[in-house]
Amino acid sequence: MSHSERSDIFLLDAERTTWHDETLWFVREKRDKAVYATPEFQKLRQLASDIKDHTLSRLDFYLQQFEENARRNGVHVHWAADATEHNAIVLGLLRQHGATRVVKSKSMLTEECHLNPHLLANGIEVIDTDLGERIIQLREEAPSHVVLPAIHLKKEDVGDTFHKYLGTEKGNNDPQQLTETARQHLREKFLAGQVAISGVNFAVAETGTVVVCTNEGNADLGVNLAQVHIACMGMEKLIPRLSDLSVFTRILTRSATGQPITTYTSHFTRPAEGKELHIVIVDNGRTQQLGRPDFRASLKCIRCGACMNTCPVYRRSGGHSYDFTIPGPIGAILSPNIDMRKHASLPFASTLCGSCTDVCPVKIDIHTQLYKWRQVLGEAGKLPASKKWSMRLLSRVLAKPGMYSAGGKVARQALRLLPHGLTHGQGYNPWAIARELPEPPQQSFREWYAQQPQNDKA
Amino acid sequence: MSSREKILAAVTANQPAEVPLPTVPFFEGDASVEKFTALVQAIGGRVVEVAALAHLEEVVRQLFPADYRMASPLLSSTNVSVDAQTPLAVLADVELAVLQGEFGVAENGAIWLPEENMLHRALPMITQHLALVLSQQQLVATMHQAYARLATVGGYGTFLAGPSKTADIEQSLVIGAHGARSLTVLLVP
Ligand code: SF4
C-alpha cells in the first residue's frame, strides 16, 4: 500500500482527522511561543546545525573517543552493524544475567530494530514504561509520532484499552485517573525489573556520558532500580563536548512541545556501585546514509517531532500512514535509505511547502531532500505506478510545443463540454476527488499574446 | 573483521571533509529569583521562600503531613534512612524526600541534582513528593552558564525541572506520571 492509500484509511473518520490536525497544530503553536520567547533561538539553531555537521565530519574520531572514555568509566561498549546484531547483543546480555523481566523507556532505535518482538519470542517480558508507549504496546500498535507515540488515539480508546487490560471501570476516560492507573501498574513493573533498557538523546564524546531526556521520569526510575542498564543508541547521537548540551537542551523541548526543558535531563556516566551499564552503538544503515552527500544531513535529526507537528500532510494523514518507525517529513527522507522500493511513496507525501525545514532545530533541509529523493527514485525506476505513467506522458507533451498547444486547445474545449462526472471521475483523476477544476479560459496565453498590438511587445 | 572495525571503516570512508566545530557563545540572561520562581511555577512546581536555613525543619513540617515517611540528609526529623544499599521495598514506601539542589537555572526552572545529593539514585524519582533545598545565591540565567559550572557531571546527575508529568492521553497534562507527584523548591538565603 502507498502512503496515500493508507491515508485514506485514516481519513475515513473525519472527526478524528480534524482533531488530530488541530491538536498537532496546537503543539506547533506552543513551539512558536517558546521559540519567540528565546531571543537567540535562531543562533542556537545555527550552532546546533554546525555542531552536528562537524561531528558527522569527524564521526570516526568521536565514536572512538566516546568509546574510550566510556570504557574508562567502567561502561561496557558494544557495536551493532544492524538490527539483528543489536537484538542479539541485548538478548545475550539478558541471558548472561538470567533476566526475564525488562523495563524499557522510550527509544525509537529499539522500535527501528523491532527489539520487543525479538525479546518476547525468546521468553522475555518487556514492558514499555512511557505512558504513550505502554498504551500502544497493550494495543499491539506502532508509535505514530516520535514524541507523542499515542497521538492517534482518543481518550475513549485509552479508556477501553485500560478497561480490557488493567481492569479500570468501563467508560472511565478521565486522563488523570487513567494515568494514575498506569502509574500503579508500572510501579510494580519498575520494582520487579531486572534489566532496564533506555534510548539515548545525546552521547558526549569527551566524557563518555549518555544523556536521556524524559518528562515522566520513567527512564531514571527503571534504570536506577534495575541491576543492569542497557542504553541503545544510533551512532549519530554523538556530540563532542559537555558544553554542547547547553545548545541542544535549549532547543529540543522548545521545538518539540514548547516546554523550556524536559522534567529530567539525566546524565549517565558511570554505573552505580555494584551495577552495570552497557551502551550499544548501532549502525543499521547510518553509515550508508552518511555516504550520500544529498541525504547525510538527515543524520543530524534530534527527534524533536517539530517537522511532524507542522506538516500539513502528516497532520491529516496520521503517523501510521507512513508505515515506517519514524513518520512525517524526516521519516520520508530516512526511509528510502533503508528500503527504496517499499517506501517509494513517502517522499511524495509532501506539498514541498518547506514548513518542516523552517522549524527544524538543527536546520535539516528536509523539503529539499524530499525533492531530491523524488529524482533518485525516478532515476532508479522506483516511482509509484500512478506517478510513473502520468509523468512520462507529461514529459512527452512538454517536450513538444506543438503537441502542448494542440493539447491545450482540446482540453479547454473538452472541459467546457464534457459532463462533470467524466472530467472529475475518481478512477482516473484522483486530483479531483476533493477539488474543483477552475473555469477553463477562452484562449491560451499564447493566443492572447498573438492578438496584442505589435508596438506593445517590447 | 568485527562489527566495530567494519562500522568505523565505513564511517571513515563515508564521512565528509572536516568542517569546523563552532565556539558556543556565552548567552546571558535574567538570573533573578523572580524569573526562576515564575518558571518553576509554569512547569508545575512551587517555590517556598525560607527565611533562614535554621527554619527549614519547621517549614517542611508546615508544608507536609507529619506522618509522611521522609528521607533526607538535611533534616533531623527523618524517619526513613536511605543509602545506596537500601532495599527497593523500603524505597518504594518513601513519601517525601528533601534533598539539596546545587544550583537553579532561571530560563527553565531546572535544578542540578548530582548523585552525591540523592542518597540513592532512584530516590528523587521513586519518592511520592520531592522537595529540593536551593540557595538564592545559586541561580544562573541559562543552560550555558549551567554547563559552564559543571566541571564534571559525576557518575550520574540530572537537571530536574518540576514534578513528573505526561500528556500522552489526548494531550491533557497530568502531573505525577512515574516520578515525584510534586516538586517544592525550598529557597533559602
Ligand atoms: S528533522 Fe528536525 S524537526 Fe524533524 S524531528 Fe528531526 S530535528 Fe526535529
Side-chain angles (χ1 to χ4, degrees), chain A residues 50-67:
Chain A
D50 292 348
I51 293 168
K52 284 281 185 181
D53 276 333
H54 167 79
T55 314
L56 290 178
S57 77
R58 294 202 64 198
L59 193 56
D60 56 356
F61 169 76
Y62 286 120
L63 281 166
Q64 292 175 81
Q65 189 189 26
F66 174 79
E67 178 190 40

Side-chain angles (χ1 to χ4, degrees), chain A residues 192-254:
Chain A
Q194 298 154 306
V195 172
I197 299 176
S198 78
V200 169
N201 289 88
F202 307 103
V204 184
E206 71 172 3
T207 60
T209 303
V210 291
V211 178
V212 182
C213 307
T214 73
N215 281 324
E216 299 183 4
N218 56 318
D220 294 89
L221 198 50
V223 163
N224 293 331
L225 291 175
Q227 200 53 36
V228 180
H229 173 192
I230 307 175
C232 304
M233 58 177 266
M235 53 196 274
E236 80 283 15
K237 297 290 174 191
L238 279 170
I239 52 174
R241 307 162 295 199
L242 192 63
S243 61
D244 295 325
L245 285 169
S246 64
V247 175
F248 291 98
T249 53
R250 296 190 77 195
I251 57 173
L252 176 62
T253 43
R254 285 186 172 98

